């Protein structure tokens, strides 16, 4: 079945062409692409460490580095249509069974330069 669904966020998708084609046909995937882009943007626009002026200014490079470190702690929840923390155990180790059951578009883009 062909879909006319299109998203402006797909033009600069962090995913490869096959994943981009899937996103054009799957609203959950398209929503995930948009959510990941917004998630990154929220980091990149910060002017202060911790978004708190008292902690001092932050550079775009520091914002990007922090995003690259912290994006691995999140996934896109298709039921709630938002970013959520990946469940962890008491030692803050990711629940790999949970992660393995996620679709590719739900987890952070792997290539630091793509997203």
């Amino acid at each position: 079945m062909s879909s006319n669904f299109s998203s402006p966020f797909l033009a600069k998708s962090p995913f490869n062409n096959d994943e981009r084609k899937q996103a054009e046909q799957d609203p959950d995937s398209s929503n995930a692409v948009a959510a990941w882009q917004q998630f990154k943007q929220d980091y990149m626009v910060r002017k202060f460490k911790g978004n708190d002026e008292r902690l001092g200014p932050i550079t775009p490079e520091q914002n990007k580095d922090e995003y690259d470190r912290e994006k691995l702690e999140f996934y896109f929840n298709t039921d709630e249509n938002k970013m959520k923390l990946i469940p962890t155990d008491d030692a803050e180790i990711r629940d790999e069974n949970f992660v393995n059951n996620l679709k590719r578009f739900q987890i952070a883009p792997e290539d630091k330069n793509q997203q």
Side-chain angles (χ1 to χ4, degrees):
M1 177 178 214
S2 177
S3 172
N4 292 332
F5 181 79
S6 182
S7 169
F9 298 106
L10 295 176
K12 292 186 177 182
S13 170
F15 305 108
N16 67 36
N17 287 336
D18 291 336
E19 291 165 326
R20 189 174 294 121
K21 286 177 189 174
Q22 176 189 358
E24 291 170 350
Q25 297 173 359
D26 182 351
D28 283 340
S29 179
S30 183
N31 291 340
V33 169
W36 278 110
Q37 288 178 339
Q38 184 61 52
F39 185 74
K40 179 181 181 185
Q41 184 63 25
D42 290 346
Y43 273 86
M44 298 307 295
V45 299
R46 298 177 314 158
K47 303 290 183 207
F48 302 101
K49 295 176 183 171
N51 239 3
D52 186 341
E53 188 173 339
R54 297 172 295 173
L55 299 176
I58 191 167
T59 67
E61 293 80 17
Q62 290 171 318
N63 278 336
K64 178 76 166 72
D65 289 343
E66 187 169 353
Y67 164 77
D68 285 336
R69 284 188 303 271
E70 294 188 3
K71 70 182 181 181
L72 300 176
E73 298 175 18
F74 292 86
Y75 75 102
F76 179 74
N77 183 306
T78 56
D79 294 331
E80 297 179 31
N81 204 32
K82 66 180 185 177
M83 302 299 291
K84 294 192 77 171
L85 284 167
I86 292 173
T88 59
D89 63 15
D90 290 340
E92 294 298 315
I93 308 272
R94 288 176 12 151
D95 180 345
E96 289 303 320
N97 288 330
F98 179 85
V99 173
N100 290 336
N101 288 319
L102 294 173
K103 294 179 181 175
R104 169 67 187 99
F105 65 81
Q106 290 180 274
I107 59 175
E110 293 175 10
D111 184 348
K112 287 195 222 181
N113 296 320
Q114 283 186 320
Q115 172 94 1

